[in-house]
């Protein structure tokens, strides 16, 4: 297995709940009573989302490098984390359409 790491941003809502979102996966998001709950939920959803894309014949969604993430902290943002999504190596790095000679 191969891990693809996506950045998740964690916000605290006015009602005290936390929401973790992954912009590189179409703003996939999940709520939780704690920041850890929100991260756990969004990590699970990210795995399902990427697996569904791959099962439908789509490539693994591209991830941003840290330097490409917005540098300004949003008003409700309390942190950022990277979450792992496991995929088969061939799914993460498909074989090129050519063959190398030995």
């Amino acid at each position: 297995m191969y891990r693809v790491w996506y950045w998740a941003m964690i916000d605290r809502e006015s009602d005290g709940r936390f929401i973790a979102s992954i912009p590189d996966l179409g703003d996939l998001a999940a709520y939780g009573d704690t920041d850890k709950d929100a991260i756990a939920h969004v990590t699970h959803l990210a795995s399902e989302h990427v697996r569904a894309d791959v099962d439908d014949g789509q490539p693994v969604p591209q991830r941003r490098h840290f330097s490409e993430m917005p540098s300004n902290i949003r008003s409700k943002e309390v942190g950022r984390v990277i979450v792992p999504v496991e995929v088969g190596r061939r799914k993460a790095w498909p074989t090129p359409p050519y063959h190398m000679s030995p």
Side-chain angles (χ1 to χ4, degrees):
M1 289 306 248
Y2 181 78
R3 283 191 181 118
V4 179
W5 297 87
Y6 293 97
W7 282 100
M9 298 189 295
I10 307 158
D11 295 333
R12 186 161 195 168
E13 299 294 309
S14 56
D15 63 2
R17 291 188 304 168
F18 291 85
I19 184 168
S21 61
I22 302 176
D24 292 337
L25 298 178
D27 278 332
L28 182 77
Y31 281 99
D33 291 330
T34 67
D35 56 344
K36 291 178 181 155
D37 288 340
I39 293 165
H41 291 134
V42 82
T43 299
H44 177 75
L45 290 175
S47 293
E48 288 182 356
H49 178 87
V50 171
R51 188 176 309 118
D53 280 355
V54 169
D55 288 348
D56 287 343
Q58 300 296 319
V60 173
Q62 292 294 311
R63 65 200 188 282
R64 288 186 235 189
H65 186 271
F66 177 75
S67 63
E68 298 171 314
M69 293 296 291
S71 60
N72 57 326
I73 303 292
R74 299 181 325 262
S75 63
K76 295 181 179 183
E77 187 175 328
V78 295
R80 296 178 184 187
V81 297
I82 53 175
V83 296
V85 173
E86 290 190 354
V87 295
R89 183 172 291 279
R90 288 199 176 270
K91 301 295 184 181
W93 304 105
T95 306
Y98 55 85
H99 298 284
M100 303 282 292
S101 23

